[in-house]
Amino acid sequence: MNVWTRRVVIGTAAVSMALSVAACGKAGDGGKSGGDGKTIGLLLPENKTTRYETFDRPLITKKIEALCGDCQVKYNNADQDTQNQKKQFDALITQGVKVIILDPVDYKATKSWVNQAAKKGVKVVAYDRLAEGNISAYVSYDNEKIGRLQGQALVKALGDKAKDSNVVMINGSPTDPNAPFFKRGAHSVLDKQVKKVVYEQDIPDWSSDEANKKMAAAIDSLGKDGIQGVYSANDGMAGGIITALKQQGIKVPVGGQDSELAGLQRILTGDQAFTIYKQIQPQADTTAEIAVRLLKGDKIDSLTPTKVDSLSGEVKGIPAKLYDAQIVTKDNIEDTVVKDKVYPASRICADDAKAACEAAGIK
């Protein structure tokens, strides 16, 4: 994203390997060696972002179970540690797992792992974040468009004052390949529609604590009256940013992404202006279906209508499915995340958000 171009393709390993179409049993975390051709590996990058353990893992596992009754899911979370994820990936290969769903901690680091796996006939599906190397498929969102949506939502929140507004940008992790796309999309809007982006930082590991520190540094540098709005690449960091603003008595629009529960509650109480809602279930379901088809040696063309290239440009034409997202504000929480049963209204409207929910008509 940003200065990178999208490049990747499925090489010879992506079209080889016809595995047994044998019946597949119960998806779970443990036990078998994985060498029976009925095991799918699932590697997620971290748990600071609540979506992975709350939604992605159970949704993918449930869909694999529904599609392949005999299949087993071997799951691990890297806890934001690249070397830990490499050990998890290597262990799956050693155990004989033939299909791995990989959401990388550091997309650049995966190149050698993925290429070695392909040589051994192992298919790798990049999930949510594009991985380097000879992957077989990629399922995510149109991430540059998400950045544009974030920029548009912040401009709308600034209203008539947008053209005279100085904006701080707190971007995502440099090791996450999606973060530069978010940044690029947001810049394409903000650079034209606000006065100036006056302070900008990338935040390693999407750390809320680090975002809090950078926001405090921005306030120290620019003064309380020097900031009219803040772009935050996700809801977790928005929480840290809003805390820093409150400590200085500053009230300006702050946006986020991911529709995390805490972010939705901040939107209702007026502390956060918006978030971005990405429907995780379609992404998870498609990924699970691709993984099962690859395990059986079936074609995936109907599930991957788009082609993308790897970020390095070394691999081109990766089969891909990219989903759209939408802006969520106080006005449409009920028609998006509540309607789709991401969170019940009772959870969103708990504690400090109860009165705000009543005022917004959410029941």
Side-chain angles (χ1 to χ4, degrees):
M1 317 214 239
N2 215 330
V3 295
W4 298 320
T5 52
R6 294 172 153 199
R7 301 254 187 207
V8 168
V9 116
I10 198 156
T12 54
V15 288
S16 62
M17 188 188 114
L19 292 176
S20 171
V21 188
C24 300
K26 191 149 181 157
D29 283 332
K32 299 179 184 177
S33 68
D36 54 6
K38 298 177 182 178
T39 303
I40 294 171
L42 173 59
L43 301 180
L44 297 180
E46 46 100 349
N47 50 31
K48 289 181 181 178
T49 306
T50 58
R51 59 168 282 192
Y52 289 116
E53 296 295 333
T54 304
F55 299 110
D56 299 78
R57 176 190 178 185
L59 287 172
I60 291 171
T61 301
K62 183 178 179 180
K63 186 65 174 181
I64 289 173
E65 181 180 49
L67 293 169
C68 180
D70 253 357
C71 286
Q72 179 187 28
V73 175
K74 283 186 172 290
Y75 170 76
N76 272 297
N77 189 301
D79 196 23
Q80 202 63 59
D81 186 323
T82 301
Q83 287 305 309
N84 191 29
Q85 190 168 64
K86 184 181 186 302
K87 291 176 184 177
Q88 294 166 353
F89 187 93
D90 290 344
L92 291 174
I93 304 295
T94 300
Q95 292 161 14
V97 173
K98 292 300 181 182
V99 176
I100 299 173
I101 298 168
L102 173 64
D103 192 339
V105 174
D106 182 346
Y107 75 99
K108 293 180 182 178
T110 65
K111 181 179 175 181
S112 61
W113 326 345
V114 172
N115 288 342
Q116 284 298 315
K119 290 177 182 178
K120 297 177 181 179
V122 177
K123 309 286 189 178
V124 177
V125 181
Y127 178 72
D128 198 56
R129 302 173 180 178
L130 188 56
E132 283 292 344
N134 197 16
I135 64 173
S136 296
Y138 171 51
V139 184
S140 187
Y141 304 92
D142 185 336
N143 294 306
E144 189 168 334
K145 183 176 180 180
I146 287 174
R148 291 197 299 272
L149 290 174
Q150 290 177 301
Q152 291 162 8
L154 184 55
V155 168
K156 185 174 181 179
L158 290 167
D160 295 339
K161 298 178 181 179
K163 283 291 185 183
D164 299 316
S165 293
N166 289 325
V167 169
V168 168
M169 289 187 69
I170 304 296
N171 303 309
S173 175
T175 60
D176 183 336
N178 292 343
F181 284 109
F182 301 145
K183 184 198 305 187
R184 180 177 175 178
H187 264 294
S188 72
V189 175
L190 296 175
D191 291 349
K192 297 175 183 177
Q193 298 191 46
V194 303
K195 183 179 180 181
K196 189 177 180 180
V197 174
V198 289
Y199 181 94
E200 182 170 9
Q201 291 287 330
D202 296 346
I203 305 298
D205 301 340
W206 298 88
S207 168
S208 176
D209 290 341
E210 189 64 23
N212 175 275
K213 292 176 184 177
K214 295 301 183 186
M215 190 67 242
I219 297 168
D220 288 343
S221 173
L222 299 165
K224 293 184 179 181
D225 298 326
I227 302 166
Q228 284 73 52
V230 183
Y231 164 90
S232 173
N234 78 349
D235 288 343
M237 296 193 304
I241 289 164
I242 289 166
T243 298
L245 291 168
K246 281 187 171 183
Q247 287 172 344
Q248 296 295 328
I250 300 172
K251 174 70 172 176
V252 298
V254 180
Q257 178 186 186
D258 288 334
S259 292
E260 289 192 357
L261 180 60
L264 295 169
Q265 291 174 328
R266 288 193 297 269
I267 289 171
L268 285 165
T269 58
D271 293 317
Q272 186 170 322
F274 66 88
T275 186
I276 299 295
Y277 174 43
K278 301 179 292 189
Q279 290 182 298
I280 297 174
Q281 180 149 6
Q283 182 195 23
D285 286 352
T286 296
T287 302
E289 189 169 353
I290 287 171
V292 171
R293 286 195 187 185
L294 290 173
L295 191 67
K296 295 179 178 181
D298 295 340
K299 293 182 178 180
I300 61 170
D301 301 10
S302 62
L303 300 175
T304 53
T306 305
K307 301 288 184 184
V308 301
D309 298 339
S310 71
L311 300 175
S312 66
E314 293 186 17
V315 188
K316 302 178 181 178
I318 300 172
K321 173 64 177 177
L322 302 179
Y323 285 96
D324 285 330
Q326 64 189 112
I327 298 165
V328 171
T329 66
K330 186 182 297 187
D331 295 333
N332 67 343
I333 285 178
E334 193 166 27
D335 293 330
T336 52
V337 292
V338 175
K339 181 181 178 182
D340 287 353
K341 299 179 180 179
V342 178
Y343 297 107
S346 59
R347 285 195 69 190
I348 297 173
C349 297
D351 304 324
D352 293 342
K354 185 175 180 180
C357 272
E358 292 175 358
I362 299 175
K363 300 178 182 180

